[in-house]
Amino acid sequence: MARHLIQGREIAMPVRIRDATVCSASYLVRADAARAVIAYSGLDVAEVLPGKALCTLVFVDYADGDLDAYREFGVAFLVRPPGTGPPPRGLRTGLSELRRAGAGAFIHWLPVDQGFTMEAGRTIWGFPKELADIDLRLSSPYKRCILRKDGRLVLDLLVKPGAPVPGGGTMAPVDAYSHLDGVTRRIPWSMSPRGVRMRPGGALIRLGNHPVAKELSELGLPKHALMTSTVSHLTMTFGEAKEL
């Protein structure tokens, strides 16, 4: 079993998250603009509609896991599997078909509010974790994240929970992708959600004056969300990263 030494602590693989609360908002953005944003990774966005890519903003409260309790915000893009040929032109490809074809989530930015998980995430998987001020308000009916970095507002995101989704249970494993210090990695990622709610739309976003906010504005935000989701209890495992 692989192990990593982080700040004097041994972390065994796979890393397990035993309980987390997750809220997300997904947006259709221009594929060419998204490609420009993640060009440094060597990966290509998946076109869920001709000329459109999927950008997801997510905030997470990790209550119990191998990396302790912390809060996190993420900017992710649905990407095509590395090594595949050019995408077909003018064809609509559903999300389920993209996932079956191996599409995964590229983690473009991943601020957290605790130093241990920041070092672990960067060292073990190459996740682009950095410290930020993450104010989560999850006890009210509307779920809210106010994110500040270096004293500047990045965004204020409000998610309105939708209708309960029956079932839940274990989802099909997906790959996460990261890029740090010139290296792109693939990370096996499995999830088991309970208390899932989804709806079309359902997000309000206000951008601040941080450079990441400017980048999101160049993708066309703020705009109407394609869909939002909330998960009241999520367990996850993250496997060993593989360099591409």
Side-chain angles (χ1 to χ4, degrees), residues 13 36 54 66 81-83 102 109 122 131 165 167 178 198 222 242:
M13 303 300 291
L54 192 68
D66 292 348
W109 193 50
R122 295 177 72 90
L131 290 177
V165 177
S178 68
M198 298 182 69
K242 180 181 179 181

Side-chain angles (χ1 to χ4, degrees), residues 50-110:
K52 296 294 183 181
L54 192 68
C55 175
T56 297
L57 309 181
V58 57
F59 50 95
V60 188
D61 183 12
Y62 290 89
D64 181 21
D66 292 348
L67 304 183
D68 302 334
Y70 63 99
R71 294 173 170 184
E72 180 177 86
F73 182 86
V75 179
F77 294 88
L78 188 69
V79 294
R80 300 169 57 242
T84 54
R89 293 295 175 186
L91 295 179
R92 175 171 179 162
T93 307
L95 285 175
S96 58
E97 288 82 3
L98 285 167
R99 291 195 179 105
R100 279 196 295 271
F106 175 66
I107 312 302
H108 171 59
W109 193 50
L110 199 63

Side-chain angles (χ1 to χ4, degrees), residues 24-27 29 55-59 73-75 143-147 153-160 201-208 212-217 219-226 228:
S24 67
S26 295
Y27 298 87
V29 299
C55 175
T56 297
L57 309 181
V58 57
F59 50 95
F73 182 86
V75 179
K143 313 305 177 184
R144 187 179 182 187
C145 173
I146 303 171
L147 174 63
L153 178 69
V154 180
L155 57 77
D156 184 346
L157 176 61
L158 189 76
V159 171
K160 306 173 183 179
L204 293 172
I205 184 171
R206 177 171 65 94
L207 297 177
V212 172
K214 182 177 185 298
E215 189 174 71
L216 292 174
S217 73
L219 289 169
L221 273 62
K223 65 185 299 186
H224 186 73
L226 175 67
T228 53

Side-chain angles (χ1 to χ4, degrees), residues 130-145:
E130 53 187 80
L131 290 177
D133 178 12
I134 304 173
D135 179 7
L136 299 187
R137 304 179 185 182
L138 304 178
S139 59
S140 61
Y142 291 171
K143 313 305 177 184
R144 187 179 182 187
C145 173

Side-chain angles (χ1 to χ4, degrees), residues 163-171 193-198:
V165 177
T170 302
M171 298 172 59
R194 290 187 293 116
V196 180
R197 290 176 174 267
M198 298 182 69

